[in-house]
Amino acid sequence: MTAHVAESDEARGRVILRFSAWKPSDVAIHWAMMVAAAFHSEVEVLFVEDRERVNFAGFPFAREIPMRGGPPRSVSPRAIKAEFRRSFAEARKRIAALAEAFDEEVKVYESFVSDDPVQALVSACARRGPWNVIALAEAFGSPAPCSLDELFEAVTDATGIIVAGPNATVRRGPVVLAVEDTDHLHGMLRAGDRIAAALGTGIVVLLIAGDEEALARMEAEVRLALGESPRIEIARARATYGDIGVVAEAMRRLRGSFVIAQYGGTAVPRQRSLRPLMLTLECPLLLVK
């Protein structure tokens, strides 16, 4: 498990910032740029016009239900396309403003496709695979055309996905590695080192296990593997006993700037609502396979 992004001269991947029609998160955009800067990579802003949504608007029975209430209203393919164009134009301004903070350190370019949102990412990653990281531009929990399960299943040429919850902020703090399996430690450390060096911060290895005995065993293994390093701190969550809220609170208390975690583990389980975790966390996540 290595969250790697190809450097710009490798031509084997980059950070892909996927944007659909929902309001983008400044935090998610900032961290797409930051991860690209840490790996000396590029950012491709992928604007996806959801083809299925446009086609559905062509049916005579199609109606749109406003998110903030009100009666359903009729829609048309032309109106939906215009909505996408307006949304993309606003996003371009926001992305350009946030990219200025990185001067010319990160090259940013754009692509526009009319496609299924998942297939759009499959195709974009395959063009320059395999070392891509996907950043979802909207705050996690916004209405989304695809789930994390779908993305991890379908997109094989990506090493991780950046997500930011509605309460995430850009702040200075350590990079937190949420470690549940010591076999994954060194792969996560390689990514954490690059990002922490770019931020000028340290690393906290947060150990996660189901009971106290497993936690003690993990801590002994990790301390032996890492030795003495002034930049790396080891922290222990309370034994989870299957409660992901314990991990979420442990992450929050560390006040990290960024968390790297395994998707499908205890901290970020598959096929369960991640809403409590994303509401608790005040920093973005890089989820790795």
Side-chain angles (χ1 to χ4, degrees):
M1 177 172 56
T2 304
H4 179 69
V5 191
E7 296 192 13
S8 57
D9 59 353
E10 286 185 75
R12 297 184 64 205
R14 69 285 198 217
V15 176
I16 300 178
L17 178 63
R18 192 220 63 187
F19 181 75
S20 57
W22 306 105
K23 182 180 178 181
S25 160
D26 287 353
V27 177
I29 296 169
H30 172 89
W31 272 97
M33 304 290 175
M34 178 59 72
V35 170
F39 284 88
H40 308 295
S41 187
E42 301 168 338
V43 174
E44 176 182 351
V45 183
L46 181 66
F47 293 104
V48 182
E49 180 186 86
D50 189 336
R51 183 188 296 164
E52 183 177 357
R53 187 176 168 208
V54 172
N55 291 343
F56 183 77
F59 290 105
F61 57 80
R63 296 291 185 273
E64 185 175 60
I65 301 174
M67 293 292 295
R68 296 183 180 179
R73 55 176 180 257
S74 60
V75 292
S76 68
R78 178 179 293 182
I80 295 298
K81 282 177 173 285
E83 179 186 329
F84 275 111
R85 285 195 296 271
R86 285 194 299 271
S87 181
F88 293 164
E90 292 173 6
R92 281 191 180 99
K93 294 177 185 177
R94 186 172 246 163
I95 291 166
L98 291 167
E100 285 182 3
F102 294 87
D103 299 319
E104 297 180 358
E105 190 177 357
V106 178
K107 179 183 176 183
V108 181
Y109 58 98
E110 298 177 355
S111 298
F112 170 87
V113 295
S114 176
D115 201 348
D116 170 79
V118 175
Q119 186 56 46
L121 281 170
V122 171
S123 300
C125 289
R127 283 199 306 270
R128 290 266 301 274
W131 303 117
N132 302 283
V133 161
I134 297 165
L136 303 183
E138 302 85 6
F140 190 81
S142 301
C146 52
S147 69
L148 290 175
D149 277 343
E150 287 180 277
L151 291 179
F152 273 105
E153 286 289 333
V155 185
T156 57
D157 294 306
T159 59
I161 300 176
I162 298 170
V163 294
N167 297 322
T169 60
V170 175
R171 67 187 183 194
R172 186 174 176 81
V175 175
V176 178
L177 310 182
V179 177
E180 303 183 41
D181 185 339
T182 53
D183 288 343
H184 297 157
L185 174 63
H186 288 291
M188 296 175 83
L189 266 177
R190 285 196 291 273
D193 271 335
R194 296 288 292 262
I195 296 169
L199 292 171
T201 62
I203 295 173
V204 175
V205 178
L206 176 64
L207 304 179
I208 301 167
D211 57 60
E212 294 295 340
E213 183 180 348
L215 271 177
R217 186 167 58 250
M218 280 186 71
E219 182 173 2
E221 291 177 11
V222 169
R223 290 193 183 281
L224 182 62
L226 295 181
E228 294 295 328
S229 173
R231 291 184 59 245
I232 301 176
E233 177 187 342
I234 298 173
R236 287 171 55 169
R238 288 192 296 113
T240 63
Y241 297 104
D243 182 0
I244 64 173
V246 171
V247 182
E249 179 60 17
M251 290 179 182
R252 187 191 68 79
R253 291 190 178 201
L254 290 173
R255 295 193 57 78
S257 58
F258 197 59
V259 173
I260 301 176
Q262 178 186 353
Y263 183 68
T266 302
V268 190
R270 293 172 61 97
Q271 299 176 338
R272 285 181 63 179
S273 172
L274 300 184
R275 181 175 172 78
L277 172 65
M278 300 312 293
L279 287 174
T280 300
L281 279 186
E282 297 166 357
C283 66
L285 279 164
L286 171 57
L287 302 175
V288 295
K289 294 180 178 180

